[in-house]
Amino acid sequence: MAMLEFDNVDVFYGKVQALRGLSLHVDEGEIVALLGNNGAGKTTTLSTASALVKVGSGILNFGGVDISRANPWDVVAAGLIHVPEGRRIFSTLSVLENLQLGGFLVKDRGVVAKRIERVFALLPLLFERRTQQGGTLSGGEQQMLAIGRGLIAGPKMLMLDEPSMGLAPLIVNQVMDVIKEIREQGTTVLLVEQNARAALRVTDRAYVIESGATTVEGKGSDLLNDPRIIDAYLGA
Amino acid sequence: MSGSTFKSQAPRRTGPAAAWVSGLLENKYLGWIALAAALLAPLLTASPYSLNVMTTAAIFVMLAAGLNIVVGYCGLLDLGYIAFMAVGAYTAGIVSKAFELPLLFTIPAVLVMTILAGLIIGAPTLRLRSDYLAIVTLGFGEITRITANNLSVTGGPSGIYGIPKLLTFGDFSVHSPAVFYYVTILIVAFFVLASARLGKSRLGRAWRFVREDEDAAEAMGIHTYKVKLMAYIFGAVWGGFAGVLFASHLTAISPKSFIFLQSALVLMAVVLGGMGNMRGVVVGALVISLLPELLRDLSEYRYLAFGLLLVVAMVFRPKGLWPAHGHEEERKKKEPEQTAVDAAVSRGESR
C-alpha cells in the first residue's frame, strides 16, 4: 500500500504553477528518489507533502489519510518528517539542543531520550560533538545532524531534500550509507537529489521530475543504465 | 558569530580570578542577591529623589523583562512596545478613577485589556517577518499614543491625573515612597523571575527555535504562529503591569509618556544587556535608566555622554554586556564521557 501518494497534484506560487498534475507514490519500506534539474519542482513536492506549501488541486494522502488541507504540525505528528534543503540546523544551539527540537511534539521525554541515544548510536560523531554549537560542525556533520534531528521525531517516513549538497564525494557516500541504514531500521525514505548517481545506488525506485510533473519512473538500478537518464543527469 | 562567543568564554581559562568572577556570574543565587541588594538600597539612601529614581529603574527593568520575551527569546523586533505599557496604564487609570478603586483592583481589567491588545496588534502583524514586522509595530505604537491623545475617555493630550493609590484599606495606603518602592521591587522581582522561568520552559525552547530558524522550526512541527503570538501576549501582559506601576508611581499619565523614544530605550536596554539572557537584560535596564541620573553633573552634556557610553559598550560588547551563553560550558567539565551524556539525555534538557 502506498504510504505517501500524490495524484494529479497542482501547486501554485501566486500565478506561477510549480507542480502540474504531479503523481507519484512511495510504498512502505522503500527508498524512493526524486531526480530532476533546478526548478523542476523537487523541493516543492516535499514542501507540499509537509504542508509548508498548500495544494492547489489533486489528491495528497499519507498513510491513507488526506493531508492536502493539513497543517505542518499535523503532518509532523502523523510521522511524515521533512529534512529541509540546506540543512537548516540551529547554528547557535548545541547539537543536543538541535536534536531535542526534533522531539518537540513528543510529550514523553523518556521516548525522546531513547531516540537521541539511538541517533547517537547511528551517528557516533554527533555524540562526540553534542555540546558544540551546530554552526561549528562541518558540512557533512551538519547534514548528519539535520537527519538525526528528523529521526528524533519518530518518523514513519523521512523526506530528505538534497542531503548531498555541497559535500565531498566521500561524505556523500557516508550520507547515502546512513540513509540505507535508516531504511533498514524501518523508516521509509523519500530522497530528493541532484546527485543522481549517488542517489540511484541506494534507491529502490526513482522518479524524474520535469516542469512540475513526473516523466520517468523506474527501479534505481535500471535508471542507472537508462540512456535518457545518462544523457540528462549522469553525463557520459 | 561563534567567534565572539568564544571570546566571551575565553577569560574562563585565564586564571583563578577570572574563574571566580565567572563562577559568581553563573551563581544561581545571584538573582536573590540582586533582590536583597534592591531591598537594602533604601537603607543607604532614601531621599525622595533617590527613591524616585530607583522606583523608576525597577519599573524599567520590568518593561525590559517583558520586551526580552518578545525580542530576546522569540526574536520578534518590536519597535512599539511602549503601547502595551500605555494600555495597562490607561486601563488602570480609567477603571480606578471611574469606580474609585485602588489600582490593585484594576488588575483583572488590565490583564484582559493587555491580552486583547496583544491579540489585536499581534494577530495581523505576526504574519510578517523581520523588518516588516518592526515597521508595523512602530506604527501600532504610534497609533496607540495618538488614539490616547484624541479620545476623551483617556483625557486627551492632558491625560489622566489624580490616579488613586495602589492599595488602600482603612487608614493604611501605599502612599509613602519607601513603601511603594518595596511593593514595586517585589512585583518586579516576581515578573523577572517568571520571565526567566518562561525562557527555560517548553514554550521558551519553542521561542528559541523560532528565533533561530522559523521555517526549520515549522518543518519540525512547531506551530510557529501560535508560539509567536504567545510571546507577544506575554510581552503585552508584562508591559501592561509595568504600566500599572507607572501610573501608580506618577499618579498621572499622558500620551507624552508613551512616545517612540520610550520604546527605543526599552529595546536598547534589552540589546545592551544581552538579548535572551534575563540577567543581562536586568543589568541593561539598570544601566539605561540609572546612567542619565548618574551623569546629571554633566548637565546638558549628559545625554551626549550617555550616547557615547552606549556606543562604546556596543563596540566592545557587540552581543551585549552579558550575552546569553552559547551552551558550550559542558565541555570544560572533566566528567566521564558516558555518564555526562546519559545525564544530559535523560534529563532531556540542555544544561
Side-chain angles (χ1 to χ4, degrees), chain A residues 135-210:
Chain A
T136 65
L137 267 54
S138 73
E141 290 165 346
Q142 290 190 12
Q143 185 60 55
M144 300 293 191
L145 176 56
I147 294 174
R149 186 176 69 188
L151 288 175
I152 305 293
K156 293 192 181 85
M157 179 170 160
L158 198 60
M159 299 189 293
L160 304 171
D161 198 347
E162 299 238 10
S164 77
M165 193 169 70
L167 301 181
L170 202 64
I171 311 294
V172 172
N173 287 340
Q174 287 176 12
V175 171
M176 293 302 157
D177 288 344
V178 166
I179 291 168
K180 253 171 146 174
E181 181 60 32
I182 288 168
R183 191 263 302 272
E184 298 306 314
Q185 295 183 6
T187 304
T188 309
V189 178
L190 176 59
L191 176 65
V192 158
E193 263 303 339
Q194 295 241 16
N195 188 338
R197 200 182 295 275
L200 289 174
R201 265 193 217 114
V202 297
T203 53
D204 302 309
R205 280 190 307 123
Y207 291 92
V208 174
I209 300 190
E210 281 171 46

Side-chain angles (χ1 to χ4, degrees), chain A residues 73 88 90 92 97 104 127, chain B residues 202 208 212-213 223 341:
Chain A
W73 42 93
R88 302 301 279 268
F90 298 101
T92 63
E97 286 173 305
F104 189 79
F127 174 73
Chain B
R202 183 180 143 82
R208 275 199 299 154
E212 293 294 320
D213 189 333
H223 195 324
V341 76

Side-chain angles (χ1 to χ4, degrees), chain A residues 52 72-73 76 81-82 84 88 90-94 96-97 100-102 104-105 107 109 113 116-117 120 127 130-133 136 149-150 153, chain B residues 1-2 5 202 205-206 208-209 212-213 215-223 326-328 330-331 337-338 340-341 344-350:
Chain A
L52 296 174
W73 42 93
V76 172
I81 311 295
H82 182 180
R88 302 301 279 268
F90 298 101
S91 59
T92 63
L93 304 183
S94 74
L96 191 57
E97 286 173 305
Q100 281 162 353
L101 164 66
F104 189 79
L105 286 184
K107 292 284 190 290
R109 286 188 165 200
I116 290 179
E117 268 173 42
F120 281 153
F127 174 73
R130 65 192 178 279
T131 62
Q132 242 173 278
Q133 285 189 1
T136 65
R149 186 176 69 188
Chain B
M1 191 179 272
S2 56
T5 311
R202 183 180 143 82
R205 280 198 292 147
R208 275 199 299 154
F209 295 136
E212 293 294 320
D213 189 333
D215 296 321
E218 186 157 32
M220 293 313 302
I222 291 179
H223 195 324
H327 306 286
E328 302 224 10
E330 210 176 332
R331 205 193 306 172
E337 288 271 287
Q338 194 57 43
V341 76
V345 167
S346 61
R347 263 186 292 136
E349 45 191 49
S350 50

Side-chain angles (χ1 to χ4, degrees), chain B residues 22-101:
Chain B
S22 65
L24 183 75
L25 292 181
E26 294 297 324
N27 190 317
K28 61 178 171 175
Y29 299 111
L30 196 68
W32 298 108
I33 296 169
L35 175 60
L39 291 175
L40 293 174
L43 299 180
L44 292 174
T45 166
S47 66
Y49 165 71
S50 58
L51 279 175
N52 178 28
V53 167
M54 290 192 295
T55 307
T56 307
I59 295 170
F60 197 72
V61 166
M62 179 139 160
L63 278 175
L67 187 61
N68 185 42
I69 296 174
V70 181
V71 178
Y73 291 161
C74 199
L76 307 167
L77 185 51
D78 187 343
L79 294 179
Y81 184 65
I82 212 71
F84 297 124
M85 189 194 195
V87 169
Y90 272 108
T91 306
I94 292 167
V95 171
S96 68
K97 282 201 75 170
F99 298 98
E100 293 179 358
L101 283 170

Side-chain angles (χ1 to χ4, degrees), chain B residues 271-293:
Chain B
V271 175
L272 178 74
M275 282 197 277
N277 182 12
M278 200 35 103
R279 292 171 168 189
V281 167
V282 170
V283 172
L286 290 176
V287 169
I288 295 287
S289 58
L290 293 180
L291 202 54
E293 298 300 328

Side-chain angles (χ1 to χ4, degrees), chain A:
Chain A
M1 190 199 98
M3 191 166 215
L4 179 69
E5 187 183 11
F6 281 71
D7 189 8
N8 209 10
V9 170
D10 290 334
V11 168
F12 297 86
Y13 293 116
K15 284 183 179 164
V16 180
Q17 188 166 5
L19 297 187
R20 299 166 192 272
L22 181 116
S23 299
L24 62 81
H25 66 96
V26 182
D27 294 336
E28 191 165 353
E30 272 191 311
I31 301 181
V32 173
L34 289 183
L35 310 175
N37 289 324
N38 287 338
K42 307 186 296 291
T43 297
T44 303
T45 304
L46 294 200
S47 299
T48 306
S50 58
L52 296 174
V53 175
K54 297 293 165 223
V55 174
S57 65
I59 296 169
L60 173 58
N61 287 333
F62 177 67
V65 181
D66 175 26
I67 57 166
S68 60
R69 296 282 173 272
N71 290 309
W73 42 93
D74 300 326
V75 174
V76 172
L80 179 57
I81 311 295
H82 182 180
V83 178
E85 187 176 5
R87 315 193 255 272
R88 302 301 279 268
I89 60 159
F90 298 101
S91 59
T92 63
L93 304 183
S94 74
V95 168
L96 191 57
E97 286 173 305
N98 266 282
L99 291 176
Q100 281 162 353
L101 164 66
F104 189 79
L105 286 184
V106 184
K107 292 284 190 290
D108 185 345
R109 286 188 165 200
V111 171
V112 176
K114 275 211 193 79
R115 285 181 188 162
I116 290 179
E117 268 173 42
R118 225 182 303 153
V119 166
F120 281 153
L122 178 69
L123 305 165
L125 60 95
L126 291 186
F127 174 73
E128 286 166 28
R129 304 230 184 275
R130 65 192 178 279
T131 62
Q132 242 173 278
Q133 285 189 1
T136 65
L137 267 54
S138 73
E141 290 165 346
Q142 290 190 12
Q143 185 60 55
M144 300 293 191
L145 176 56
I147 294 174
R149 186 176 69 188
L151 288 175
I152 305 293
K156 293 192 181 85
M157 179 170 160
L158 198 60
M159 299 189 293
L160 304 171
D161 198 347
E162 299 238 10
S164 77
M165 193 169 70
L167 301 181
L170 202 64
I171 311 294
V172 172
N173 287 340
Q174 287 176 12
V175 171
M176 293 302 157
D177 288 344
V178 166
I179 291 168
K180 253 171 146 174
E181 181 60 32
I182 288 168
R183 191 263 302 272
E184 298 306 314
Q185 295 183 6
T187 304
T188 309
V189 178
L190 176 59
L191 176 65
V192 158
E193 263 303 339
Q194 295 241 16
N195 188 338
R197 200 182 295 275
L200 289 174
R201 265 193 217 114
V202 297
T203 53
D204 302 309
R205 280 190 307 123
Y207 291 92
V208 174
I209 300 190
E210 281 171 46
S211 309
T214 50
T215 52
V216 180
E217 182 203 346
K219 280 188 179 171
S221 48
D222 292 350
L223 290 183
L224 265 177
N225 300 316
D226 189 317
R228 290 172 300 174
I229 304 297
I230 292 173
D231 284 350
Y233 303 107
L234 297 177

